[in-house]
Amino acid sequence: MADLDGYRSYTRASLHREEGILQITLHNGHGGSMVWDEAAHRELPDLWAEIAADRENRVVILTGAGADFCADTDVSGWSDMGTPAGWDKIYREAKGLLLNLMDIEAPVIAAINGRVIAHPEIAVLSDIVLASEETRVSDDHFAGGIVPGDGANIVWPMLLGRNRGRYFLLTGQELGAQELLQLGVVNEVLPGERLLGRAWELARHLAERSDLALRYSRVVLTQEIREELVAHLSHSLALEGASAGAAFAALQTHWENR
C-alpha cells in the first residue's frame, strides 16, 4: 500500500492497511508459514516499534501465512547463543519483542492460524484472540533444557492461572483450540476459511470508535501486563541466558531433531 511506503523492508512480515486497519502477516520469507529464526527474532521488535510510532494505525490484525502461525524453529542463525555477547543480542531483542508490542497504542486482534510452538505469547497477548479449529499451542523451552524466561514465565501463569501455567511450561503441554477457548486464552474458534474475515469484521467494528477511545482503551487494558513485563522480564531473561549457555549444544540438538 502506498501509505506504507515509509516503512522499512521486513523479510518476515508483510503489511497491508485499509482505512486505518493494519494487517500484519508473518511468514518465512518466501510466503509460507513463519519459521522462528534469527531474522524473525531480530526484525519483529523493530516492526512493532515502527507500527507503534505510526498514528495512522488505528486497529492492528496479527496473523500468519500458510497453514500455521509458527510451527517450526531454525536455530542456525544463533551459533553464538552460548556466549555472553551472543546472549546480549538475544536479551535486547527479546525485551523488544514484548515491550515494543505493548507500546502499540491501537487494539490488536490476533488471528491464530494453526500451530504455534515459538513465542505463542506474542499472539495471546492481543486484546482479542481468534483461533482456527486447527490451532495448537505449546512452549518447548523447558523441553530443550532452558528456562522459559523470555516472557512465557509471565504471560502463561497470568492467562492460565499459576498452577496451570507452570504445568504448561514444565511439561510441554499442547493445548488445542477448544481447550484454549475453555481456559479463556482465546475468545472465538472458527473454521480456518472464516478466521481472517472475522478478524476484519471485528476490526471494522472497533474502528468505528474515535482515535482516543481506541488508543486509551488499549493503554488502560494492557497497563497491568506492561507493569509485569517491565518488573520481571530482564531478570527472567538473564536466568534463561545462564541456562542456555550451559545447555547450548543439547539445545541445538533438541530443536534440530524435533
Side-chain angles (χ1 to χ4, degrees), residues 62-217:
L62 178 63
T63 192
D68 293 303
F69 191 89
C70 182
D72 203 359
T73 303
D74 176 4
V75 300
S76 60
W78 286 301
S79 59
D80 58 350
M81 183 189 290
T83 69
W87 191 260
D88 178 63
K89 176 180 182 298
I90 293 173
Y91 166 79
R92 288 182 286 107
E93 293 170 357
K95 286 199 300 180
L97 274 171
L98 297 187
L99 295 178
N100 293 357
L101 179 64
M102 303 313 295
D103 276 343
I104 297 174
E105 291 187 356
V108 179
I109 301 171
I112 306 176
N113 54 309
R115 295 175 298 159
V116 195
I117 65 164
H119 287 284
E121 72 278 358
I122 289 173
V124 299
L125 277 174
S126 299
D127 304 293
I128 295 175
V129 186
L130 311 178
S132 72
E133 293 171 339
E134 295 75 29
T135 293
R136 301 287 184 274
V137 171
S138 61
D139 185 290
D140 69 348
H141 283 84
F142 190 74
I146 64 173
V147 173
D150 48 8
N153 60 303
I154 301 164
V155 174
W156 288 106
M158 181 185 297
L159 294 180
L160 295 175
R162 296 294 182 188
N163 282 3
R164 283 195 298 257
R166 287 181 289 183
Y167 179 89
F168 174 78
L169 294 171
L170 291 174
T171 65
Q173 180 186 23
E174 182 180 80
L175 295 172
Q178 290 299 327
E179 291 173 289
L180 292 164
L181 181 64
Q182 292 167 7
L183 290 165
V185 177
V186 307
N187 306 113
E188 298 180 22
V189 175
L190 302 117
E193 65 272 15
R194 291 182 52 203
L195 182 67
L196 202 51
R198 176 59 174 157
W200 275 89
E201 178 185 351
L202 287 165
R204 291 188 177 101
H205 174 71
L206 294 178
E208 295 174 358
R209 308 297 179 246
S210 71
D211 287 351
L212 292 186
L214 290 171
R215 291 185 174 278
Y216 291 172
S217 293

